[in-house]
Each structure stands twice: as C-alpha cells, then as structure tokens.
Amino acid sequence: MKELKIKKTEIEKQKSFIAKLRANGYLVFKLNDSYIAGLPDIMAIKDGVVRFIELKNKDRAGAKLSLEQVHLHSKMLEHGVEVEVIYL
C-alpha cells in the first residue's frame, strides 16, 4: 500500500520556520496584521540586522502577494526596508 503524504498546514509551516530562525539565534516576532493591511508575517532580529519576512504557502493555489502587501512592501522599500518573500 502506498504511503499517503500529508501536507503541512500554513500555520504549521510558519511555526516550523520560526523555530528554525530561533534555533539559528534570531529574536523572532510574529506580527499581527489586524491593524495594518499588508504587514509582513515576521520580524526577525540578529546581530543588529532586522529582517521583515512574508511567508507564503507554495501548496496553496494562487499563493501570491495581495495588493495590500505589494503596496505596503513598496512603501517600506521607499524607506530603505526590504521585505523578503519566502515560499514554504
């Protein structure tokens, strides 16, 4: 019988990614986008460098940035802050 492969949910993937960052010495914050549309998912800090990271589930059909994310990420870039987009 063929073994079924169960895909991780987006939340499980995020938790796993955050755990890996922390294991590599990052101070990690899961950002709440309830008040600011398009806010990246994570802020990770290590050695004085702050990284903003947007996580996307590559298993999800149409996994792409929303218009709000594109707009806010471009505004952040105008202020010298880059947002990394990582597909898990």
Side-chain angles (χ1 to χ4, degrees):
M1 184 179 206
K2 195 174 185 179
E3 186 178 319
L4 293 177
K5 208 175 192 183
I6 300 173
K7 293 182 181 178
K8 285 185 177 181
T9 66
E10 192 165 353
I11 292 171
E12 290 170 329
K13 288 180 177 187
Q14 286 184 2
K15 285 181 179 180
S16 177
F17 185 80
I18 289 170
K20 288 176 186 175
L21 285 174
R22 288 184 173 143
N24 284 298
Y26 282 89
L27 175 61
V28 182
F29 298 94
K30 174 79 172 92
L31 302 177
N32 184 338
D33 62 357
S34 297
Y35 303 105
I36 302 171
L39 190 66
D41 295 314
I42 295 171
M43 180 174 63
I45 304 168
K46 182 177 178 181
D47 299 328
V49 176
V50 179
R51 297 172 60 188
F52 287 93
I53 304 168
E54 178 65 38
L55 299 175
K56 291 292 180 190
N57 186 348
K58 67 182 176 187
D59 296 329
R60 193 175 191 187
K64 61 181 183 177
L65 295 176
S66 68
L67 292 176
E68 292 87 356
Q69 289 169 326
V70 170
H71 176 73
L72 184 59
H73 296 182
S74 67
K75 286 291 182 190
M76 291 173 73
L77 189 57
E78 286 175 16
H79 289 274
V81 178
E82 186 174 339
V83 177
E84 300 172 62
V85 179
I86 298 176
Y87 289 85
L88 302 174

